[in-house]
Amino acid sequence: MLTLQTPAVVAIGRRAGRLAAYDVEGGKFYDLPVDLEGVEVAELGLDGANIRSHIVIASYATSLIKAIAVDGDAEVLDVGGLRKMRRGPVAIQAVKGRELGRWDDVWNRLILIGGQAGMLAVGASRAGSLLHLNTARTDARHVKALTDSLESLRAFGEVSAACSCRLGLLPVELLARRGTEYILVKVYMNVQNRRSNTAVVIRGSGGNVHKRFIGPLENLNLFIQEAYRA
């Protein structure tokens, strides 16, 4: 995990064949220890007054984290499902001058780079004046588990989605509420960890847990259906 003092602007891309981040404010490159085999990631560097990267993430205010895709496509997960991130050029002077324009809100949201051959998960969060960035390998199976779960949970109630980005497993929590009742689904996106093969579903109300299901990711939809009946 990369942690920086804010205000911070961070570009993420491929540098010398490895995943790397560039701290625009500090003018420093950081290696990110994630295998990029099969993942198409744009090159990271500076081109005159512009930043070249796959994505750029910026955080100024306490609860504000914005991002934009630069030289490659990226997606972000919200309650509506996966949507393509806005794409455009990024000038160094503009971001140093706090001029972001119409960037996407990515605070505690899952960002995805890549496709069927290989995927990279990126998460950004704030803790006080610190910006935390986490990166990990993920795959289409885990992404489909999330999007399918979102569709299922909408039948229960109002849905929210959040990525606990400071945790190495990069867990994404989907919460469906109906009055005081809720169903919570947790999927671990970091496939480099064995726990990513496990899913968690909780049915409860208020502060009480009525049912908890923990088991293989392949059984996630079954767990959700059981939670409906609990």
Side-chain angles (χ1 to χ4, degrees):
M1 183 171 66
L2 177 63
T3 299
L4 297 170
Q5 283 284 345
T6 55
V9 179
V10 184
I12 296 175
R14 183 188 296 267
R15 184 170 183 256
R18 304 174 66 179
L19 186 66
Y22 176 66
D23 173 13
V24 177
E25 299 285 338
K28 185 177 180 181
F29 288 94
Y30 296 89
D31 284 334
L32 303 176
V34 179
D35 178 20
L36 288 182
E37 183 179 356
V39 185
E40 293 186 10
V41 179
E43 291 293 326
L44 174 64
L46 302 178
D47 181 13
N50 294 321
I51 298 170
R52 314 309 312 187
S53 66
H54 202 102
I55 60 173
V56 174
I57 298 173
S59 183
Y60 304 129
T62 302
S63 59
L64 175 71
I65 306 177
K66 298 281 190 175
I68 191 169
V70 182
D71 294 316
D73 291 330
E75 293 179 298
V76 61
L77 180 77
D78 59 22
V79 293
L82 281 177
R83 57 180 175 80
K84 186 169 286 189
M85 189 179 291
R86 292 184 179 91
R87 186 168 170 175
V90 176
I92 296 172
Q93 284 304 114
V95 292
K96 284 190 173 182
R98 314 293 188 258
E99 299 172 13
L100 297 184
R102 297 183 62 194
W103 290 25
D104 286 287
D105 182 7
V106 296
W107 182 75
N108 279 1
R109 290 183 180 175
L110 180 70
I111 300 169
L112 294 169
I113 296 171
Q116 292 292 330
M119 302 183 77
L120 180 68
V122 182
S125 66
R126 282 287 299 265
S129 63
L130 299 177
L131 170 66
H132 299 289
L133 295 176
N134 220 336
T135 52
R137 285 296 296 253
T138 193
D139 58 25
R141 182 172 69 107
H142 284 72
V143 174
K144 187 176 188 302
L146 281 179
T147 55
D148 287 352
S149 297
L150 271 173
E151 288 299 319
S152 297
L153 290 173
R154 287 194 185 99
F156 182 84
E158 183 179 356
V159 181
S160 62
C163 176
S164 298
C165 305
R166 278 179 282 169
L167 301 179
L169 283 164
L170 275 177
V172 174
E173 294 184 350
L174 308 177
L175 179 65
R177 289 187 176 276
R178 184 173 62 199
T180 61
E181 297 182 81
Y182 68 87
I183 296 177
L184 174 68
V185 172
K186 184 178 290 189
V187 177
Y188 303 104
M189 301 304 292
N190 184 352
V191 298
Q192 294 168 298
N193 190 297
R194 286 184 298 176
R195 282 185 63 189
S196 67
N197 292 316
T198 301
V200 179
V201 177
I202 296 172
R203 172 68 187 269
S205 62
N208 300 313
V209 173
H210 303 311
K211 282 283 188 178
R212 180 183 282 109
F213 305 89
I214 302 175
L217 184 67
E218 288 75 13
N219 293 343
L220 179 55
N221 186 61
L222 175 62
F223 294 156
I224 293 174
Q225 298 308 314
E226 289 292 330
Y228 278 156
R229 294 190 284 268

